[in-house]
Amino acid sequence: MNFLRGVMGGQSAGPQHTEAETIQKLCDRVASSTLLDDRRNAVRALKSLSKKYRLEVGIQAMEHLIHVLQTDRSDSEIIGYALDTLYNIISNDEEEEVEENSTRQSEDLGSQFTEIFIKQQENVTLLLSLLEEFDFHVRWPGVKLLTSLLKQLGPQVQQIILVSPMGVSRLMDLLADSREVIRNDGVLLLQALTRSNGAIQKIVAFENAFERLLDIITEEGNSDGGIVVEDCLILLQNLLKNNNSNQNFFKEGSYIQRMKPWFEVGDENSGWSAQKVTNLHLMLQLVRVLVSPNNPPGATSSCQKAMFQCGLLQQLCTILMATGGPADILTETINTVSEVIRGYQVNQDYFASVNAPSNPPRPAIVVLLMSMVNERQPFVLRCAVLYCFQCFLYKNQKGQGEIVSTLLPSTIDATGNSVSAGQLLCGGLFSTDSLSNWCAAVALAHALQENATQKEQLLRVQLATSIGNPPVSLLQQCTNILSQGSKIQTRVGLLMLLCTWLSNCPIAVTHFLHNSANVPFLTGQIAENLGEEEQLVQGLCALLLGISIYFNDNSLESYMKEKLKQLIEKRIGKENFIEKLGFISKHELYSRASQKPQPNFPSPEYMIFDHEFTKLVKELEGVITKAIYKSSEEDKQEEEVKKTLEQHDSIVTHYKNMIREQDLQLEELKQQISTLKCQNEQLQTAVTQQVSQIQQHKDQYNLLKVQLGKDNQHQGSYSDGAQMNGIQPEEIGRLREEIEELKSNQELLQSQLAEKDSFIENLKSSQPSPGTNEQSSATASARDSEQIEELKQELATLKSQLNSQSSEITKLQTEKQELLQKTEAFAKSVPIPGESETVIATKTADIEGRLSALLQETKELKNEIKALSEERTAIKEQLDSSNSTIAILQNEKNKLEVDITDSKKEQDDLLVLLADQDQKIFSLKNKLKELGHPVEEEDELESGDQDDEDDEDEDDSKEQGHI
């Protein structure tokens, strides 16, 4: 220690090489010293120098520190110092003082030392084994060191841990550590371990990580918890994101149901802490990981189903409609609800039924659309609402029809008391805010996505422009706004709406071409040479014109396919047209929008393309190009092929319907056949039973006939037959004698039990009082104990007799059953020679009478045995009550013994006091005698006291007589 103080005191004064020499001496001391205390002090000194002189200690001492970890594992203190020193060398987390040594510290210094450490894989394995030590001073620095290694060179360290036996399992034990510091740092370690490594993620998940992490989150208070909850949520995201196996395991383990309490935020008028906002944000992101559109459709739909069934979606909608929450939580909740309902019909139907808590109640969809078309709302919130609306309509033709129906004349509320979703979309479509125009156009396009019926229905929508002017169609109003030269964002939104509307809908194309101003406007826009900003609008105009050609049914003579292609060739040129059409997919924002469905833009200026629209462009760009270059003959051939295909499709549809009807008929016939088969089987079973019964009756009749046909010789052999079958009157008499003997034994047992009961009653009545003297109590207790022992022995005897009696009764019952079986067998097997019918009838009656007599006697025996069983049960109950009485007496006897012991102690104390008092009186008498006072003896005093009492009694009686 003196050496260390000298080192630390001379750091500032000495030259630079002094520190290097000091570190070198300390390293030599660690390497060569034989005493453990010296090595421990040297490692402690290196630890204190490692933060300031990180490079020098790392270069000179790392090898020695690793050697200490290998050889001195028995001493937890030196191991802790060595691990702390290595952590200071490798970690970049510590704040470094800006001095002359800071020039040597670089960003990659930690990674260089990490590379040196893990070059020998045994070092990492050694560190993993040290984590099994429960000592706090070893486990905690070990966790921090391994976490730092993973932060520096994560993939390499992950691979070493992955191939190490039980490497990941050892680290999972950290979550079960009772010390919160180690448990919390263990969570951080697992965060670094599971980052971007699917194999380790699966191992950690199957090591029960989900259960442990959810338990920690619950213990810490869910969303109200601290930073530990945040760390656990980040670890859960690492395990689940882009890992289909873990997501399936999470769902099948019913862990989705445990997420519901996270969102029970309650009354938040008291405010939201920053940590709670962070926790809830991560919780919402975790829900989105499970239902992300990038997941396999089957896995996503199963998670969506589980979230609806456990009430998680309902809880999210409650947060969505609540007031007073932070804006970023509201935005993330909208995005989460969007993906929970996306493409799953049940969840979409539920969301359509949700109402906001307003007066009067409004549908949640209407309330959200009001925020989307309100330019004063935050941009991210408006994007989230648009995404929610898109997810609600995704693969939801029912929802699309409900939205479009709110625009139709028959469903619009004439009173104007309520605002519908369609009215809000139209209001946003023709607003002065370009962002509202774009959002409303994209939302309306999603109401038409892959739904030809709604595209046709939307053609019926009429808009009132101004008072006195006739209404115009929605389609015409959109083209009117396009021609007015509005902002680029507005025009792009309207063009995307028109392209979606006209694609795969020839009727809409006809309506569009019916306005003679539309085609010249489009050709004019495409033909002009405008700036880069207008190139996108030109490309969309080319796409719209191409759709008008490709989906044209040639119903308008002036705008048939061939004429439109000739117009393009004359005014624009086919090559120029195709070039302008290619501007769309070449735009920088096109590829960004095509990556994921969520409209996530940094600012409104980047809000140009919609994800679903990019799919439409990709689908139509090639076919429009082919359609432009096709000749009229090829078009005619294509038309003929189309007609042929349509006819073929109609024929196929007709046959499909016929086949469907025949399938239904076949199913009905199959059901009828199965019903008839069941009935047939039942009838056959009944017939078989009846045939077997008839055959039995025949056999019995023939047997009886044969038996009655025997001669009188059977009469002589009857007794022999009876003896052979074991049915003898002597046996029946023996059974009766045994039953009588059992009855007598039972009466004897009952009399003995009555005697014991009376004896127990006597014991109860003769209980000694607590005031009895010591000798009588002791005698009574001894007598009671002897009597109780005798009672126990007699009870044991009674129980054994009962058991033997029950076994005899069982034996008798068995013999009775054998007698019955023999009787029946004998009745069937008695041979009778053939005689006249009268004699046969007489003998049969005689046999039946004997059999009935035997059966009657057997029945009586059975009743007697049953009565004996009941009596035996009653005796058992009486014995049980006697046992309980004896137990009560035993308890009372124990209490009396305790009272006797207490009274004996009190008597002993009184005797001691009396002895002391007598001794004092005796000594006082001796003193009085010595002083010369006369002292009366004890007997005289007692007689004198008695005389005084007699005189006082006489005086009292005289006074009473006088009165």
Side-chain angles (χ1 to χ4, degrees):
M1 295 303 295
N2 293 331
F3 173 72
L4 178 61
R5 283 195 290 271
V7 169
M8 301 304 293
Q11 280 182 3
S12 58
Q16 183 61 37
H17 63 85
T18 307
E19 288 79 12
E21 293 174 357
T22 302
I23 293 168
Q24 182 61 46
K25 289 179 180 178
L26 290 173
C27 293
D28 294 340
R29 194 171 168 188
V30 171
S32 60
S33 180
T34 57
L35 294 177
L36 180 62
D37 288 340
D38 290 344
R39 295 199 302 276
R40 186 189 302 118
N41 292 333
V43 174
R44 186 191 296 117
L46 287 172
K47 174 190 171 184
S48 62
L49 294 171
S50 59
K51 291 184 180 180
K52 189 173 182 180
Y53 304 104
R54 180 180 173 191
L55 179 63
E56 293 82 354
V57 175
I59 293 174
Q60 299 186 45
M62 181 175 285
E63 184 178 353
H64 300 295
L65 293 172
I66 294 171
H67 184 69
V68 167
L69 296 179
Q70 295 170 343
T71 57
D72 291 327
R73 290 191 61 171
S74 59
D75 186 71
S76 60
E77 192 173 357
I78 191 173
I79 294 294
Y81 291 145
L83 291 171
D84 283 331
T85 308
L86 288 170
Y87 173 74
N88 293 336
I89 294 170
I90 291 172
S91 174
N92 290 327
D93 296 338
E94 299 292 336
E95 295 182 0
E96 299 168 357
E97 298 180 4
V98 182
E99 296 180 356
E100 56 185 357
N101 291 330
S102 62
T103 56
R104 305 177 191 177
Q105 309 291 342
S106 61
E107 289 297 328
D108 60 346
L109 189 60
S111 62
Q112 292 176 0
F113 282 129
T114 301
E115 191 173 356
I116 295 171
F117 185 84
I118 68 173
K119 190 173 183 180
Q120 297 294 328
Q121 295 188 6
E122 294 81 6
N123 295 339
V124 180
T125 307
L126 173 64
L127 184 56
L128 290 172
S129 65
L130 289 172
L131 291 179
E132 293 181 347
E133 298 289 337
F134 188 74
D135 194 303
F136 180 82
H137 299 289
V138 175
R139 181 173 267 197
W140 188 40
V143 170
K144 293 194 296 181
L145 175 58
L146 187 55
T147 306
S148 182
L149 292 173
L150 285 164
K151 287 180 179 178
Q152 299 293 346
L153 293 175
Q156 295 91 320
V157 180
Q158 285 174 343
Q159 193 60 32
I160 296 172
I161 295 174
L162 192 60
V163 299
S164 176
M166 299 296 290
V168 179
S169 300
R170 292 174 182 172
L171 301 181
M172 287 301 299
D173 293 338
L174 299 174
L175 295 182
D177 201 302
S178 58
R179 296 160 293 192
E180 290 190 0
V181 176
I182 294 179
R183 183 198 69 185
N184 299 343
D185 281 354
V187 173
L188 296 176
L189 169 60
L190 290 173
Q191 278 184 23
L193 179 66
T194 57
R195 190 172 290 117
S196 303
N197 192 307
I200 293 179
Q201 289 169 3
K202 291 179 182 178
I203 296 173
V204 171
F206 282 95
E207 288 285 345
N208 208 21
F210 293 139
E211 183 77 28
R212 296 184 185 180
L213 291 173
L214 292 174
D215 287 342
I216 294 173
I217 292 172
T218 304
E219 291 170 6
E220 295 292 328
N222 294 330
S223 60
D224 293 320
I227 196 169
V228 180
V229 174
E230 178 183 347
D231 294 336
C232 291
L233 291 169
I234 293 173
L235 178 54
L236 283 172
Q237 283 194 18
N238 286 354
L239 294 175
L240 292 172
K241 196 168 186 177
N242 299 324
N243 194 316
N244 299 328
S245 174
N246 283 0
Q247 289 174 9
N248 189 46
F249 181 67
F250 190 86
K251 176 186 68 68
E252 291 181 353
S254 299
Y255 296 119
I256 291 177
Q257 288 80 343
R258 296 187 60 179
M259 297 169 72
K260 183 189 173 186
W262 295 355
F263 304 103
E264 295 174 356
V265 293
D267 185 13
E268 297 300 333
N269 293 330
S270 58
W272 293 63
S273 64
Q275 186 61 55
K276 179 166 186 172
V277 172
T278 303
N279 291 344
L280 202 56
H281 203 273
L282 289 170
M283 289 170 177
L284 292 168
Q285 287 182 348
L286 192 62
V287 176
R288 294 185 65 185
V289 166
L290 295 172
V291 292
S292 171
N294 297 327
N295 295 341
T300 300
S301 61
S302 59
C303 289
Q304 290 171 330
K305 179 180 180 181
M307 289 176 184
F308 176 75
Q309 290 177 342
C310 74
L312 179 58
L313 174 59
Q314 293 84 329
Q315 199 67 43
L316 291 172
C317 290
T318 302
I319 299 175
L320 184 66
M321 292 291 103
T323 56
D328 53 346
I329 292 297
L330 176 61
T331 303
E332 191 63 25
T333 304
I334 294 172
N335 287 327
T336 305
V337 171
S338 306
E339 294 184 351
V340 172
I341 67 174
R342 186 177 189 269
Y344 192 69
Q345 187 68 49
V346 176
N347 293 4
Q348 290 168 336
D349 292 343
Y350 170 77
F351 184 70
S353 66
V354 175
N355 288 324
S358 59
N359 191 14
R362 288 178 175 173
I365 296 173
V366 172
V367 175
L368 291 174
L369 288 177
M370 291 171 70
S371 301
M372 185 186 76
V373 298
N374 186 351
E375 55 185 311
R376 288 176 293 182
Q377 293 292 340
F379 172 67
V380 290
L381 178 63
R382 299 173 74 180
C383 291
V385 173
L386 175 61
Y387 184 45
C388 185
F389 192 73
Q390 291 175 349
C391 292
F392 169 68
L393 297 176
Y394 183 71
K395 294 183 179 179
N396 182 11
Q397 293 194 353
K398 179 182 175 184
Q400 291 174 328
E402 291 173 354
I403 295 298
V404 173
S405 66
T406 59
L407 285 165
L408 300 179
S410 59
T411 58
I412 295 176
D413 187 5
T415 61
N417 292 330
S418 62
V419 180
S420 66
Q423 291 171 335
L424 288 169
L425 290 176
C426 282
L429 196 61
F430 308 123
S431 168
T432 56
D433 178 32
S434 61
L435 185 59
S436 297
N437 301 152
W438 191 91
C439 291
V442 171
L444 199 55
H446 277 261
L448 307 175
Q449 200 79 37
E450 298 180 359
N451 195 331
T453 304
Q454 302 310 322
K455 291 177 182 179
E456 295 176 7
Q457 288 292 320
L458 199 62
L459 295 172
R460 296 169 50 200
V461 177
Q462 300 290 320
L463 302 174
T465 54
S466 60
I467 299 174
N469 293 329
V472 297
S473 67
L474 177 61
L475 184 65
Q476 184 60 43
Q477 185 65 16
C478 291
T479 56
N480 291 341
I481 295 174
L482 274 177
S483 61
Q484 292 173 2
S486 53
K487 294 181 180 179
I488 291 179
Q489 194 173 38
T490 301
R491 285 184 285 165
V492 169
L494 291 172
L495 285 167
M496 287 194 296
L497 171 61
L498 292 172
C499 290
T500 305
W501 194 347
L502 270 59
S503 63
N504 294 295
C505 186
I507 299 176
V509 172
T510 303
H511 278 72
F512 178 76
L513 296 176
H514 195 271
N515 186 349
S516 58
N518 289 338
V519 173
F521 169 74
L522 293 177
T523 55
Q525 288 286 318
I526 299 169
E528 291 184 12
N529 291 323
L530 303 173
E532 292 184 0
E533 293 181 355
E534 294 290 336
Q535 286 182 350
L536 178 59
V537 176
Q538 288 182 315
L540 292 171
C541 289
L543 178 65
L544 182 58
L545 187 55
I547 290 172
S548 301
I549 295 173
Y550 185 73
F551 294 103
N552 192 342
D553 59 357
N554 293 326
S555 58
L556 290 176
E557 188 176 351
S558 56
Y559 290 109
M560 296 175 68
K561 284 186 178 181
E562 189 61 30
K563 290 184 178 181
L564 287 173
K565 285 194 286 187
Q566 291 175 1
L567 185 64
I568 289 173
E569 190 171 1
K570 289 180 181 178
R571 299 211 178 162
I572 305 169
K574 290 182 179 180
E575 289 77 10
N576 191 23
F577 179 86
I578 300 302
E579 182 184 358
K580 297 292 177 69
L581 183 62
F583 285 162
I584 302 173
S585 56
K586 292 177 182 177
H587 199 277
E588 57 183 354
L589 298 178
Y590 175 87
S591 58
R592 180 172 183 171
S594 63
Q595 291 174 359
K596 56 183 180 179
Q598 183 181 0
N600 188 13
F601 304 103
S603 62
E605 294 77 19
Y606 291 88
M607 208 170 198
I608 298 297
F609 286 108
D610 173 57
H611 177 75
E612 293 296 328
F613 179 73
T614 59
K615 292 182 180 179
L616 183 67
V617 172
K618 188 176 181 181
E619 177 187 345
L620 295 179
E621 187 175 8
V623 296
I624 290 174
T625 303
K626 291 180 181 178
I628 293 297
Y629 282 107
K630 279 181 182 177
S631 62
S632 58
E633 293 180 358
E634 290 176 344
D635 283 338
K636 288 179 181 179
Q637 291 177 357
E638 188 175 351
E639 288 295 330
E640 291 177 358
V641 171
K642 280 185 178 180
K643 289 179 180 178
T644 306
L645 289 174
E646 287 175 359
Q647 291 175 357
H648 177 70
D649 290 340
S650 64
I651 295 170
V652 169
T653 305
H654 175 67
Y655 279 113
K656 281 182 178 179
N657 293 331
M658 288 180 61
I659 292 169
R660 193 175 293 111
E661 292 175 359
Q662 290 175 355
D663 287 339
L664 294 174
Q665 293 175 359
L666 282 173
E667 288 297 326
E668 292 177 358
L669 291 173
K670 284 180 181 178
Q671 292 177 359
Q672 292 177 4
I673 289 170
S674 61
T675 306
L676 291 172
K677 280 184 178 179
C678 293
Q679 293 177 357
N680 187 24
E681 289 175 359
Q682 293 174 359
L683 292 172
Q684 285 181 354
T685 305
V687 168
T688 305
Q689 291 176 354
Q690 290 177 358
V691 169
S692 63
Q693 289 177 0
I694 291 169
Q695 187 62 38
Q696 288 177 2
H697 290 312
K698 285 182 178 180
D699 294 340
Q700 291 175 1
Y701 174 74
N702 293 329
L703 180 61
L704 188 60
K705 201 171 180 181
V706 171
Q707 289 174 350
L708 295 175
K710 298 295 182 180
D711 55 5
N712 288 333
Q713 185 180 0
H714 164 267
Q715 222 36 4
S717 62
Y718 174 77
S719 59
D720 297 336
Q723 287 177 359
M724 287 192 320
N725 288 288
I727 302 172
Q728 287 290 341
E730 291 83 358
E731 191 171 356
I732 293 172
R734 184 176 59 80
L735 288 173
R736 285 180 177 172
E737 289 175 1
E738 290 180 359
I739 289 170
E740 292 297 330
E741 185 180 354
L742 286 173
K743 283 184 178 179
S744 63
N745 289 337
Q746 187 176 5
E747 291 174 357
L748 179 63
L749 287 173
Q750 284 181 344
S751 63
Q752 291 178 356
L753 187 62
E755 290 177 3
K756 302 308 172 188
D757 287 340
S758 62
F759 185 72
I760 289 167
E761 292 296 329
N762 293 333
L763 280 177
K764 286 183 179 179
S765 61
S766 62
Q767 285 181 5
S769 60
T772 56
N773 58 28
E774 177 186 357
Q775 185 175 1
S776 62
S777 300
T779 306
S781 63
R783 186 171 63 253
D784 289 343
S785 61
E786 291 174 0
Q787 291 173 350
I788 288 167
E789 288 298 325
E790 291 175 0
L791 281 173
K792 287 183 178 179
Q793 293 176 1
E794 291 179 359
L795 281 173
T797 306
L798 287 173
K799 286 181 179 178
S800 62
Q801 289 177 358
L802 277 176
N803 292 331
S804 63
Q805 203 171 24
S806 63
S807 62
E808 289 177 2
I809 290 170
T810 306
K811 184 178 178 183
L812 285 174
Q813 288 177 344
T814 306
E815 291 178 356
K816 184 203 74 167
Q817 293 295 331
E818 292 176 356
L819 282 174
L820 287 173
Q821 291 174 1
K822 290 177 181 179
T823 302
E824 292 174 0
F826 173 72
K828 292 180 180 179
S829 61
V830 172
I832 299 174
E835 294 179 0
S836 64
E837 294 181 0
T838 306
V839 177
I840 291 170
T842 305
K843 290 184 178 181
T844 303
D846 185 21
I847 292 170
E848 289 178 352
R850 291 177 182 178
L851 287 174
S852 63
L854 286 172
L855 290 173
Q856 184 64 29
E857 290 178 359
T858 307
K859 187 176 181 181
E860 291 175 358
L861 288 173
K862 186 176 180 181
N863 292 333
E864 290 176 358
I865 291 169
K866 184 178 181 182
L868 287 174
S869 299
E870 292 176 353
E871 291 176 359
R872 182 172 66 86
T873 305
I875 291 172
K876 279 189 176 180
E877 293 177 353
Q878 292 176 0
L879 284 175
D880 293 337
S881 63
S882 299
N883 287 332
S884 63
T885 306
I886 290 169
I888 293 169
L889 288 175
Q890 184 68 30
N891 292 333
E892 292 179 354
K893 175 199 160 193
N894 294 335
K895 291 181 181 178
L896 288 174
E897 288 178 352
V898 173
D899 292 340
I900 289 168
T901 305
D902 294 339
S903 62
K904 185 178 179 181
K905 288 181 180 178
E906 291 177 358
Q907 288 176 359
D908 292 340
D909 294 339
L910 288 172
L911 288 172
V912 172
L913 290 173
L914 287 172
D916 293 341
Q917 191 175 6
D918 289 341
Q919 186 66 32
K920 288 179 182 178
I921 291 170
F922 182 73
S923 62
L924 289 173
K925 283 181 180 181
N926 290 334
K927 286 181 180 179
L928 288 172
K929 287 179 181 181
E930 291 175 359
L931 292 173
H933 291 282
V935 178
E936 297 180 358
E937 293 300 327
E938 186 175 354
D939 296 337
E940 295 176 356
L941 287 171
E942 289 179 356
S943 62
D945 293 338
Q946 185 66 33
D947 294 338
D948 293 339
E949 289 177 0
D950 295 339
D951 293 339
E952 288 176 0
D953 293 337
E954 290 176 1
D955 294 337
D956 293 337
S957 60
K958 288 178 181 180
E959 289 177 0
Q960 289 176 358
H962 179 70
I963 293 169

